[in-house]
Amino acid sequence: MAANSDLSAARQFHDQTTHTPSSVRTSGHALDWDIKPFPFKVYTKLSPIPLPRTFELPTADTLGALAPATFPPAPRLTLEHLSAVLYLSAGVTRKKTYPGGGEVLFRAAPSTGALYQTEVYVAVGAVDGLEPGLYHFCPGDFALRRLRDGDVRAALAEAAADPSLARRAATVMLTAIYWRNTWKYQARGFRHLYWDSGTMLANLSAVANARGWAPRLLTGFVDADVNRLLGLDPAREAALELVAVGPEGAPAPPADALPAISDETLPLSSREVDYPSLRQMQQASMLPSADAVRAWRESAPPAPRNPRRSLTPLPPARAEAGRPLGETIQHRGSARRFSEASLTAAELATTLWWATRWVDADVPPGLVDPYLVVNAVDDVAPGAYRYWPEAHALEVVSTGNYRADSAHLCLEQALGGDAAAVIYFLAPLDALLASFGTRGYRLANLQAGLIGGRAYLAAYGQRFGASGLTFYDRKVVEFFSPHAAGLDAIFVTALGRAVRPPW
Ligand SMILES: Cc1cc2nc3c(=O)[nH]c(=O)nc-3n(C[C@H](O)[C@H](O)[C@H](O)COP(=O)(O)O)c2cc1C
């Protein structure tokens, strides 16, 4: 089977990792706390390069930062700005100690189960205060470690089949360490790799926008080459996305063949459990060559879906949240409980509009369809809807009070019923696979995670709450059917007023 062409692998994986009431009841998976993975990747033999801890947080308005290209381009990247970007994307923003002594270091971007499997690397070409090279970012000690000396951008440009990476000042690369997530979520964790890197990309692209870094997201690259460049053990960790940042300068010198690297890291736990189906899913969606990447980028997306009934326009989105981006991210925390209080139509409209504007990327927007359960939004009748981003309007699927249904759909979590509104991302998965090959499965999960992450920022910017949620897959589709017939449930984000704000 040629790489990225085993569409049934993605379909089967998705179906085998669906949640149903009985699969959840009978899973029998108990958390083994003795082998809970350590949340940081620590290179034992590389010296830390401490990042500056005093830097300006971006003062740009949170909503404005969700729009690309509205900030003057930065002429140079600086180490202070890189520090701020890494902190607000992946840094430790708060610590919580639990009775009995347990401690969780919460991070800037939300992540399933606070397990934080997403790792960050930077290929540096032109950053004031930092030698060219390849670096790993550790949020634990807020330091970089140099994995490779010298400019690796030319090799990265080849691996990404994008010559502009050899000219951009730097490229940030997100990877995921499977075991950190599968410890709790088993093979379904594959989906989380993309949801959680999506929420991190929401922060990263907003902060980079605010700094004038013109971030460009690349989801297509030769996986094996990027993994090798980063020195990853591909059985345990894989590159997920690349983000080119900063101005273009003179191209990096052509790449010499880079030697393999495999620097020693601290074991995450005394024992790890392998989930072959997750590894195989990642493998089956790899692109094998630069030619394959270029061809893949030309893939035509699925035909656009069209409304069936008349649309009700939403109020125009607010241009400003009134809260600076840095403050929004520092004070963000997933709502643990929503009051049943309502949102205004303007608050919902602003969140939906900004969340669904797109980032500069190698794939088109609109691969996932935002459906909604509205529980309590002023001037919007409670019910089920489809939001149409281009028209910025709602199509009624059905009206009714669906609080109990929504809590049930969200794996019986009260958050889904108490929220003012819940966004259910569904996708034409089979059509996405036909367009983008097996990698279409990554894209569906990533795009939903990224829009969900942007919804978090829009919500916290406006001073209300949000939480990602998991769900009973088929029940979600059934709930929105016949409108959603043929689609698959991908991800859920709930919006509302938290009973207790995160701080
Ligand atoms: C993709 C995603 C899925 C999530 N699913 C749930 C969920 O099903 N239930 C829940 O209570 N929280 C959920 N969360 C919230 C996480 O538990 C939360 O992000 C994590 O504990 C870190 O806390 P923080 O967001 O407050 O920083 C989810 C978050 C994300 C990003």
Side-chain angles (χ1 to χ4, degrees):
M1 182 78 62
N4 195 37
S5 62
D6 187 359
L7 308 189
S8 64
R11 169 46 69 194
Q12 275 170 21
F13 181 87
H14 185 72
D15 292 345
Q16 282 163 5
T17 56
T18 54
H19 276 327
T20 65
S22 85
S23 77
V24 170
R25 239 188 347 267
T26 58
S27 115
H29 178 59
L31 296 182
D32 183 346
W33 291 94
D34 290 340
I35 54 167
K36 182 174 183 208
F38 191 64
F40 300 108
K41 182 172 189 179
V42 178
Y43 287 92
T44 47
K45 303 227 164 94
L46 302 179
S47 312
I49 304 168
L51 282 162
R53 284 171 188 263
T54 47
F55 43 76
E56 271 175 37
L57 293 175
T59 52
D61 185 78
T62 305
L63 298 179
L66 294 175
T70 48
F71 296 88
R76 308 275 313 158
L77 261 55
T78 66
L79 186 57
E80 283 71 25
H81 283 179
L82 180 64
S83 253
V85 169
L86 293 173
Y87 169 68
L88 292 171
S89 307
V92 174
T93 46
R94 76 201 141 100
K95 178 169 100 172
K96 191 165 171 187
T97 311
Y98 293 89
E103 180 183 272
V104 176
L105 298 172
F106 287 91
R107 314 264 181 110
S111 182
T112 44
L115 293 170
Y116 305 116
Q117 71 282 352
T118 315
E119 294 286 330
V120 183
Y121 301 77
V122 194
V124 169
V127 175
D128 290 348
L130 199 56
E131 292 293 313
L134 175 70
Y135 297 84
H136 171 258
F137 168 60
C138 179
D141 57 1
F142 201 61
L144 298 174
R145 282 171 181 76
R146 189 154 53 232
L147 304 179
R148 290 183 186 274
D149 294 330
D151 199 333
V152 299
R153 290 177 300 161
L156 184 60
E158 272 177 34
D162 185 339
S164 74
L165 295 197
R167 300 189 298 270
R168 299 294 300 266
T171 295
V172 181
M173 290 167 274
L174 305 191
T175 72
I177 299 183
Y178 308 149
W179 169 236
R180 277 224 200 98
N181 200 272
T182 55
W183 168 73
K184 178 168 182 189
Y185 296 107
Q186 304 174 279
R188 187 174 161 102
F190 178 85
R191 305 180 186 203
H192 302 181
L193 310 185
Y194 290 91
W195 299 352
D196 294 335
S197 59
T199 59
M200 190 181 287
L201 285 170
N203 286 25
L204 175 61
S205 54
V207 182
N209 280 340
R211 289 279 182 238
W213 280 16
R216 176 167 171 79
L217 167 64
L218 297 176
T219 61
F221 48 86
V222 183
D223 298 74
D225 291 354
V226 175
N227 291 342
R228 184 174 179 283
L229 178 85
L230 297 173
L232 308 183
D233 169 0
R236 303 175 62 252
E237 180 178 1
L240 307 184
E241 297 97 20
L242 318 178
V243 183
V245 292
E248 292 202 6
D256 287 334
L258 291 173
I261 51 169
S262 64
D263 291 290
E264 192 181 286
T265 56
L266 216 58
L268 296 185
S269 52
S270 59
R271 180 169 65 81
E272 297 186 9
V273 181
D274 183 33
Y275 289 91
S277 65
L278 180 151
R279 272 192 293 107
Q280 284 153 12
M281 185 58 231
Q282 183 68 10
Q283 178 81 31
S285 52
M286 288 187 172
L287 296 171
S289 66
D291 283 343
V293 174
R294 280 186 282 269
W296 183 80
R297 285 203 186 114
E298 299 304 313
S299 310
R305 276 77 65 205
N306 294 308
R308 298 172 204 173
R309 303 195 188 108
S310 60
L311 299 184
T312 310
L314 281 167
R318 292 175 178 148
E320 294 203 338
R323 193 175 202 190
L325 177 66
E327 185 189 311
T328 296
I329 294 179
Q330 272 201 308
H331 292 174
R332 185 209 60 75
S334 299
R336 302 294 171 202
R337 223 182 112 202
F338 288 118
S339 72
E340 293 190 0
S342 60
L343 293 180
T344 66
E347 286 170 330
L348 176 67
T350 299
T351 307
L352 292 174
W353 196 86
W354 282 105
T356 52
R357 299 315 100 180
W358 197 226
V359 298
D360 181 25
D362 63 350
V363 281
L367 305 182
V368 291
D369 299 349
Y371 282 73
L372 280 178
V373 167
V374 170
N375 291 324
V377 177
D378 300 346
D379 307 319
V380 182
Y385 295 87
R386 160 73 148 95
Y387 172 66
W388 294 93
E390 279 168 30
H392 185 51
L394 294 179
E395 178 184 356
V396 178
V397 174
S398 59
T399 50
N401 181 339
Y402 295 129
R403 280 194 191 276
D405 303 77
S406 190
H408 177 71
L409 295 177
C410 296
L411 224 69
E412 256 104 17
Q413 299 183 85
L415 284 163
D418 295 339
V422 185
I423 313 172
Y424 289 83
F425 297 100
L426 283 79
L429 186 54
D430 292 323
L432 281 175
L433 298 176
S435 290
F436 294 102
T438 322
R439 209 172 182 93
Y441 189 51
R442 297 189 190 185
L443 291 183
N445 286 291
L446 174 66
Q447 205 162 104
L450 177 49
I451 299 173
R454 290 167 63 85
Y456 258 91
L457 294 177
Y460 283 92
Q462 295 175 88
R463 296 177 191 275
F464 57 90
S467 181
L469 288 176
T470 197
F471 46 87
Y472 290 132
D473 296 69
R474 294 199 184 96
K475 283 180 173 268
V476 169
V477 179
E478 280 162 26
F479 175 80
F480 289 103
S481 289
H483 198 287
L487 303 180
D488 281 276
I490 302 293
F491 179 48
V492 173
T493 307
L495 307 169
R497 301 204 190 276
V499 167
R500 205 155 41 92
W503 289 83

